[in-house]
Amino acid sequence: MSAKKIILLIFLSVFSVNALSQQPFPFEEQYKLARYLTGKFPDSSDIVLNSIIEAAQKDDKPEYLAKAYYLKSFNSYVKSDAENTIRYAGIVFDISEKNHYAVGKALAYRMYGTQYAKLGLLEQSEENLSKGIKEVEHLDTDEGHELRGMIYNSYLIFLNEKEYKKKLYYSRKSISEYLGIQNQTRRNELLISAYTNMGYNLSEINQFRESMQYLKKALALVGNDNNYLKCCILHDIGFSFSKNKQPDSAVHYYRKALYMADAFGFTEKKIEITGNLEQAYVAKAEPDSAKTYKIQHLLLKDSASYNKSITVGKVLAGEKKEYSRKLNQSQLLSGALIAACTILIFVLGAIGIRIKQLNEKNRKITAEIYQKGIVQAPYEEDSKDPDEDGKDTEQMTTPIKISPEVEENIVRGLQAFEENLEFNNRNVAKYYLANKLNVNTKYLSAVIKKHKNANFNQYINALRIGYIVEQLKNDPQYRKYKINHLAEISGYSSHSAFSHEFKKIVGIHPSAFIKSLTRVS
């Protein structure tokens, strides 16, 4: 066992003892440790992550719970365990969705997108990566820059060699995001993969010098203990030499990368390295070595393809199940909407019929008034207007004797009152009119009852409403006035009082009368 592994085991033992103590669990420190171990010793990282998960569940720390499962998903991805990669990403998403944790959802989308790209589900991959960016697009923190950079890196997986412009675009976007991180240590850790990707992409388009500059930057930052990234950089340097027609140098770096991939179980990377080693030995004209790595490559690829086919089947089955669930839900909703729409159609139909009936009724009333005028309402006793002696004039049973001359004077006075439109005066009252005609209110009420077949209030209201009706019939300009203006013209103190009397006398609301009048005039 190497010295590093012994030190690691000692550290993990100490950590386990501390975890059993009564001290608060150091979530941030342990998460950083697990993240550090992820690219070097994935199995050791999982040990730390299990402790974080247990403590996070106990102390109700959903953010650390989500991030711990994210690293377990990434560890599974590094070990080419597609099924667990997706399973753990699903746990991350569920925790984050429940707790409204946008960062966690972005992490889940990133792992879904990365793994789906490896499985050849390119459409699902791009969809998930886009969702991940959207979750954190406005997060102006170190964490936001880190997540966007990682997701932009993941876009490179499903782009093919011909899409080099897009690859360079996303590589530069990733580097730009990482350079925005304030924490220098974390910034340098992330720039390693970004520089590596940029170097590889430049190799693909034969820009050897620029490619090596980025790869050397990555190698300088990676150190000696980040095994996975160092393995990737060594492989990409070999690839750059291969594209530059230097197969000897290419084989040298490929073999160093393969040694690390073998030692730490980076199966996915071994497939890529053995395939490139075969091509490098072909370029060196060493067919036996080329055949050896071809066999290794095919065996690894067949094993990975089998696991991949199983996982793809499960993913598609899961999507089919989810689609069926949503379809059933949609059908139930559609049924409810159809029922609601049917009821609404019946209700609207009934309303429409009722509106049509009312419009026809209003039209008939308006047409009759337009041709014949307002029908005189029957006389009503008026108990609201006592005479000057405090007795109800209208309800007196003893007949009032009025001389013919006085009666004729009152009739002539009423005629002048009507011709001068004095009934539209807001302050008109029985006492006012009696005083104007120089008679008492008893005589005035008696004459109005005899000649107008109405009490005083009925008489005034009939005159006012009749005047407005005539104006509406004969002058279209009046039909443009608002109801409160018509009320003011006819002496009413309010819109409601006018509307009440209009409907009482005419039979319909003034606005309905005006609307119908345009159809019959």
Side-chain angles (χ1 to χ4, degrees):
M1 183 180 293
S2 68
K4 287 185 177 179
K5 289 190 176 181
I6 293 172
I7 293 171
L8 178 62
L9 288 174
I10 293 172
F11 177 84
L12 292 174
S13 300
V14 172
F15 163 73
S16 300
V17 171
N18 288 336
L20 295 173
S21 69
Q22 298 301 315
Q23 297 297 321
F25 190 88
F27 285 102
E28 187 61 25
E29 291 81 353
Q30 293 305 312
Y31 176 72
K32 287 180 179 178
L33 172 63
R35 187 174 63 193
Y36 170 80
L37 294 171
T38 294
K40 306 167 184 65
F41 308 102
D43 292 332
S44 301
S45 173
D46 277 338
I47 295 173
V48 180
L49 290 172
N50 290 337
S51 299
I52 294 174
I53 289 168
E54 184 179 353
Q57 290 172 334
K58 180 181 177 182
D59 295 348
D60 191 21
K61 299 282 187 180
E63 293 182 7
Y64 283 105
L65 189 61
K67 290 198 289 188
Y69 274 114
Y70 161 73
L71 287 182
K72 286 184 76 71
S73 178
F74 185 80
N75 286 338
S76 298
Y77 173 80
V78 169
K79 293 183 283 187
S80 298
D81 185 353
E83 185 175 350
N84 277 324
T85 300
I86 293 172
R87 182 170 71 87
Y88 287 132
I91 295 173
V92 175
F93 184 86
D94 291 342
I95 293 168
S96 303
E97 177 83 358
K98 181 180 178 181
N99 293 279
H100 309 290
Y101 182 40
V103 168
K105 289 171 70 175
L107 289 169
Y109 283 133
R110 190 244 174 165
M111 289 314 304
Y112 278 139
T114 304
Q115 186 59 70
Y116 286 161
K118 285 289 186 182
L119 294 173
L121 304 172
L122 303 185
E123 187 176 329
Q124 292 92 327
S125 173
E126 186 172 10
E127 180 183 351
N128 278 276
L129 294 176
S130 297
K131 287 179 178 178
I133 288 290
K134 191 172 182 180
E135 287 290 335
V136 291
E137 60 184 339
H138 300 302
L139 187 61
D140 190 21
T141 62
D142 276 8
E143 195 167 37
H145 286 298
E146 177 177 337
L147 270 169
R148 289 191 293 272
M150 290 193 302
I151 294 171
Y152 286 135
N153 255 340
S154 295
Y155 270 99
L156 302 174
I157 300 173
F158 65 80
L159 296 172
N160 60 47
E161 187 175 346
K162 294 180 181 179
E163 297 177 288
Y164 67 90
K165 288 185 178 179
K166 286 186 178 180
K167 285 189 171 186
L168 291 176
Y169 169 78
Y170 285 118
S171 292
R172 290 193 176 98
K173 291 278 285 183
S174 180
I175 290 171
S176 176
E177 289 290 349
Y178 290 155
L179 288 172
I181 296 173
Q182 298 297 313
N183 185 303
Q184 183 178 355
T185 303
R186 186 57 180 158
R187 180 175 68 237
N188 289 342
E189 287 176 1
L190 293 165
L191 281 171
I192 296 168
S193 60
Y195 287 150
T196 304
N197 288 330
M198 179 61 86
Y200 186 87
N201 295 333
L202 290 168
S203 297
E204 286 188 311
I205 56 175
N206 297 315
Q207 294 187 19
F208 178 71
R209 182 177 298 176
E210 293 84 350
S211 167
M212 291 303 295
Q213 287 175 352
Y214 279 104
L215 292 171
K216 286 177 180 179
K217 282 184 180 181
L219 199 58
L221 290 173
V222 75
N224 293 318
D225 53 357
N226 195 324
N227 301 310
Y228 182 72
L229 285 176
K230 190 170 183 179
C231 175
C232 291
I233 297 168
L234 291 170
H235 165 267
D236 292 350
I237 291 174
F239 179 78
S240 186
F241 277 116
S242 178
K243 294 291 286 186
N244 198 46
K245 312 270 187 222
Q246 299 182 48
D248 290 331
S249 297
V251 166
H252 172 73
Y253 281 100
Y254 282 150
R255 287 177 64 86
K256 290 180 73 172
L258 184 59
Y259 173 80
M260 296 192 73
D262 271 329
F264 299 102
F266 303 144
T267 307
E268 194 75 30
K269 207 65 189 174
K270 283 173 66 177
I271 297 173
E272 187 177 7
I273 297 168
T274 52
N276 284 332
L277 268 169
E278 177 200 348
Q279 296 302 319
Y281 276 112
V282 168
K284 287 184 68 176
E286 296 183 19
D288 291 340
S289 295
K291 184 177 180 181
T292 298
Y293 285 108
K294 181 177 182 178
I295 292 170
Q296 284 189 33
H297 176 72
L298 291 175
L299 289 172
L300 288 167
K301 195 173 181 180
D302 287 345
S303 176
S305 296
Y306 174 73
N307 293 329
K308 175 179 173 180
S309 64
I310 292 176
T311 305
V312 169
K314 289 182 178 180
V315 169
L316 295 179
E319 288 189 352
K320 183 179 179 181
K321 184 178 179 181
E322 179 66 11
Y323 173 78
S324 298
R325 185 188 68 80
K326 288 183 178 179
L327 181 62
N328 291 334
Q329 190 179 42
S330 176
Q331 288 173 341
L332 289 173
L333 181 61
S334 298
L337 286 173
I338 290 170
C341 288
T342 303
I343 294 171
L344 183 61
I345 289 170
F346 279 117
V347 171
L348 291 175
I351 292 172
I353 292 171
R354 180 58 179 160
I355 289 173
K356 187 175 181 180
Q357 290 173 342
L358 287 174
N359 287 338
E360 182 60 23
K361 175 187 173 184
N362 294 341
R363 190 195 66 77
K364 287 181 179 179
I365 291 173
T366 303
E368 186 174 354
I369 290 175
Y370 188 80
Q371 295 172 2
K372 301 178 182 179
I374 295 174
V375 178
Q376 176 68 46
Y379 172 80
E380 292 180 359
E381 296 290 348
D382 189 354
S383 60
K384 297 179 181 180
D385 196 6
D387 64 15
E388 62 270 24
D389 297 322
K391 297 178 181 179
D392 190 345
T393 305
E394 304 295 349
Q395 295 189 31
M396 292 179 63
T397 56
T398 304
I400 298 175
K401 294 181 180 180
I402 307 174
S403 66
E405 294 82 4
V406 172
E407 184 175 343
E408 186 177 349
N409 285 335
I410 294 173
V411 171
R412 284 200 300 270
L414 290 175
Q415 185 176 352
F417 174 74
E418 293 173 12
E419 289 174 353
N420 294 328
L421 306 180
E422 292 183 68
F423 51 81
N424 286 332
N425 185 342
R426 181 176 293 190
N427 298 318
V428 69
K430 184 190 291 187
Y431 307 108
Y432 163 83
L433 187 54
N435 186 56
K436 181 178 177 65
L437 300 179
N438 199 24
V439 295
N440 62 42
T441 56
K442 293 179 185 179
Y443 287 175
L444 178 62
S445 295
V447 172
I448 291 174
K449 178 180 179 181
K450 179 179 178 181
H451 290 270
K452 308 296 181 180
N453 191 31
N455 63 42
F456 180 79
N457 288 329
Q458 282 181 300
Y459 171 62
I460 296 298
N461 285 325
L463 289 173
R464 289 175 170 177
I465 300 304
Y467 169 76
I468 288 296
V469 167
E470 288 301 313
Q471 296 303 114
L472 290 170
K473 285 167 54 179
N474 301 320
D475 188 350
Q477 182 62 32
Y478 269 71
R479 301 173 194 175
K480 300 178 182 179
Y481 294 157
K482 293 183 179 181
I483 302 301
N484 58 354
H485 185 57
L486 296 176
E488 186 177 352
I489 290 172
S490 54
Y492 286 97
S493 58
S494 68
H495 170 291
S496 58
F498 169 74
S499 298
H500 174 76
E501 291 300 331
F502 191 100
K503 186 174 182 180
K504 182 178 178 182
I505 293 170
V506 176
I508 57 177
H509 193 275
S511 59
F513 179 78
I514 293 169
K515 183 179 179 180
S516 299
L517 195 59
T518 58
R519 297 163 58 192
V520 300
S521 59

